[in-house]
């Protein structure tokens, strides 16, 4: 398929998938979700690829849902929300289960659904100026579809706080709670990613693949079809609720939602 929202480059046993829509802060739409899914399926199947880097252009890594996509979602039925959320869930599953080790190269801010992108990767290196936010509750929504990956990355205790408050937190806090593995200055970002790629490329491909599967098999509850279906239903239900619709509409209309006093 042709790619309009991202590009894929290859070299030295590495595939780099770069989000290339800085003008919309690399936000999701259904088309972007399809492209990311296809990109990870492509690079994961290549024998010459030993590591996959997910990168982005511009000041934001990924700002969550594209506004035009949100406008369409605002009028979706529950059935349409189920189908729509299912595509996002499939994208995250494909990233998480990619046979090749994956590294998120976080050069800028990460919001909402973008947090799922980072969490679904095996490793994450963040620039020290990046901000992070799980903003869904401000819109009357919940981070349901990304939750299996984000909770695994930051732990349940941190998720209790940041899911519920929608606070923005900085890269050092993301490091403290385990959401990212390293925080570096901008001029050191590529060097640290390169070091991880070098380590991965020098190890046995079969052993690396088996180790990735080992962690997924051993750690906590399996991210399986039943759990994914529950998260898809969760977001579809709350999107279609009165507060969910009010939250999205107030955001699009740049006004306070009805539940905010004053």
């Amino acid at each position: 398929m042709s790619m309009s929202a991202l590009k894929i480059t290859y070299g030295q046993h590495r595939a780099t998938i770069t989000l290339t829509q800085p003008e919309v802060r690399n936000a999701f739409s259904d088309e972007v979700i399809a492209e990311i899914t296809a990109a990870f399926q492509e690079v994961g199947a290549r024998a010459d690829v030993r590591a996959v880097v997910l990168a982005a252009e511009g000041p934001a890594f990924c700002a969550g849902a594209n506004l035009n996509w949100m406008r369409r979602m605002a009028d979706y039925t529950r059935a349409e929300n189920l189908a729509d959320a299912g595509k996002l869930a499939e994208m995250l599953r494909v990233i998480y289960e990619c046979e090749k080790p994956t590294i998120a190269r976080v050069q800028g801010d990460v919001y909402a659904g973008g947090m799922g992108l980072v969490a679904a990767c095996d490793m994450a290196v963040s620039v020290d100026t990046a901000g992070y936010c799980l903003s869904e509750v401000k819109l009357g929504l919940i981070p349901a579809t990304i939750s299996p990956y984000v909770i695994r990355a930051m732990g349940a205790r941190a998720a209790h706080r940041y899911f519920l408050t929608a606070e923005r937190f900085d890269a050092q806090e993301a490091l403290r709670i385990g959401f990212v593995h390293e925080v570096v200055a901008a001029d050191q970002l590529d060097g640290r990613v390169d070091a991880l790629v070098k380590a991965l490329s020098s190890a046995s491909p079969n052993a690396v693949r088996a180790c990735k599967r080992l962690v997924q098999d051993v750690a906590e509850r399996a991210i399986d079809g039943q759990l994914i279906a529950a998260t898809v239903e969760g977001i579809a239900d709350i999107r279609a609720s009165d507060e969910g619709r009010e939250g999205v509409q107030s955001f699009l209309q740049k006004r306070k939602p009805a539940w905010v006093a004053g």
Side-chain angles (χ1 to χ4, degrees):
M1 63 182 294
S2 61
M3 303 284 187
S4 61
L6 58 84
K7 64 183 177 183
I8 307 174
T9 56
Y10 296 96
Q12 298 181 322
H13 302 297
R14 172 197 321 212
T16 301
I17 299 170
T18 305
L19 306 179
T20 58
Q21 292 188 307
E23 68 280 2
V24 294
R25 299 175 64 81
N26 297 305
F28 294 145
S29 66
D30 42 6
E31 295 87 359
V32 174
I33 288 169
E35 288 191 16
I36 294 173
T37 303
F40 273 89
Q41 289 171 331
E42 175 184 320
V43 302
R46 287 183 55 135
D48 60 327
V49 171
R50 305 278 289 277
V52 181
V53 176
L54 178 60
E57 296 177 350
F61 180 79
C62 179
N66 180 290
L67 288 178
N68 289 329
W69 187 38
M70 289 183 69
R71 289 187 181 97
R72 294 200 303 274
M73 284 191 291
D75 295 321
Y76 278 178
T77 64
R78 185 176 188 276
E80 289 171 326
N81 273 311
L82 282 172
D84 183 74
K87 293 174 183 176
L88 176 60
E90 175 64 7
M91 177 195 75
L92 294 169
R93 184 197 66 78
V94 167
I95 296 171
Y96 185 73
E97 295 185 359
C98 180
E99 287 200 0
K100 307 303 166 63
T102 53
I103 305 167
R105 175 193 179 276
V106 183
Q107 93 301 347
D109 292 344
V110 187
Y111 282 80
M115 296 284 286
L117 276 183
V118 176
C121 290
D122 299 311
M123 297 158 229
V125 181
S126 172
V127 70
D128 55 7
T129 54
Y132 296 82
C133 186
L134 291 148
S135 55
E136 284 84 353
V137 294
K138 288 186 176 180
L139 305 184
L141 304 177
I142 58 176
T145 319
I146 65 173
S147 63
Y149 311 94
V150 174
I151 293 171
R152 282 193 174 195
M154 67 168 54
R157 188 64 171 165
H160 273 289
R161 174 175 177 174
Y162 292 113
F163 278 25
L164 273 58
T165 65
E167 294 170 90
R168 176 185 165 100
F169 56 94
D170 62 19
Q172 287 298 331
E173 175 67 357
L175 177 66
R176 187 189 73 80
I177 62 178
F179 188 73
V180 301
H181 293 92
E182 294 189 51
V183 172
V184 298
D187 60 359
Q188 299 174 350
L189 183 59
D190 286 326
R192 292 309 302 148
V193 171
D194 290 346
L196 289 173
V197 171
K198 182 178 180 180
L200 293 166
S201 299
S202 65
S204 157
N206 286 336
V208 168
R209 182 166 56 251
C211 275
K212 177 168 178 171
R213 175 53 59 187
L214 175 66
V215 173
Q216 293 175 347
D217 287 346
V218 171
E220 301 177 11
R221 179 181 175 182
I223 299 176
D224 55 17
Q226 183 178 2
L227 177 59
I228 289 171
T231 66
V232 167
E233 289 193 15
I235 188 60
D237 286 343
I238 204 157
R239 279 185 190 172
S241 71
D242 290 342
E243 284 194 2
R245 291 184 182 277
E246 165 63 9
V248 173
Q249 290 292 351
S250 65
F251 176 76
L252 294 172
Q253 296 166 11
K254 298 183 178 180
R255 59 175 175 81
K256 291 182 179 180
W259 60 79
V260 175

